[in-house]
């Protein structure tokens, strides 16, 4: 239930308060996602502050293959702005309410 409602993300608010994360940005990679880390580094996405939500999350979340996630992260890197972040936050709220795109 925690995962489906995204309540498991709440502890990350502390990381946002500390300045280690942002509300919007590429989701942090897991330690064992070397392919994701490598692609993000190759395209400069690793320079962005990780986010609680991001463009890739609202466009597929757990369903996207890694190359597609990185492509969406690259798009966010190029398009980032206050209005784009607001759009992503709104889309995230809709996804959470509808419980969309959660694989587990």
């Amino acid at each position: 239930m925690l995962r489906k409602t995204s309540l498991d993300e709440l502890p990350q608010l502390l990381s946002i308060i500390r300045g280690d994360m942002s509300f919007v940005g590429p989701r942090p990679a897991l330690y064992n996602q070397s392919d994701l880390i490598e692609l993000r580094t190759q395209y400069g996405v690793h320079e962005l502050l990780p986010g609680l939500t991001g463009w890739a999350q609202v466009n597929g979340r757990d369903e996207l293959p890694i190359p597609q996630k990185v492509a969406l992260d690259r798009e966010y890197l190029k398009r980032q702005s206050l209005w784009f972040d607001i759009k992503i936050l709104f889309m995230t709220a809709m996804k959470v309410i509808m419980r969309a795109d959660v694989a587990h």
Side-chain angles (χ1 to χ4, degrees):
M1 182 184 128
L2 289 176
R3 180 67 187 130
K4 285 190 177 191
T5 59
S6 296
L7 288 174
D8 62 327
E9 305 289 348
L10 288 178
Q12 292 182 9
L13 289 176
L14 294 174
S15 293
I16 293 171
I17 292 168
R18 284 194 314 253
D20 298 331
M21 286 182 76
S22 176
F23 279 105
V24 180
R27 291 287 297 152
L30 299 174
Y31 71 93
N32 62 349
Q33 291 181 305
S34 57
D35 49 350
L36 176 61
I37 294 167
E38 184 179 319
L39 279 175
R40 282 181 172 171
T41 302
Q42 180 180 346
Y43 294 111
V45 175
H46 70 289
E47 297 289 334
L48 292 170
L49 201 57
L52 183 63
T53 188
W55 189 231
Q57 282 61 46
V58 297
N59 284 290
R61 202 169 175 178
D62 295 336
E63 303 295 320
L64 297 174
I66 289 193
Q68 192 173 354
K69 280 183 188 182
V70 173
L72 288 164
D73 289 340
R74 287 179 66 201
E75 182 180 346
Y76 175 75
L77 177 64
K78 293 175 186 173
R79 293 180 60 190
Q80 63 182 324
S81 69
L82 176 62
W83 293 115
F84 194 40
D85 285 358
I86 291 169
K87 176 180 179 172
I88 292 168
L89 289 169
F90 176 77
M91 291 174 70
T92 299
M94 293 296 100
K95 294 273 185 176
V96 169
I97 290 167
M98 296 169 52
R99 298 181 183 169
D101 300 326
V102 178
H104 49 289

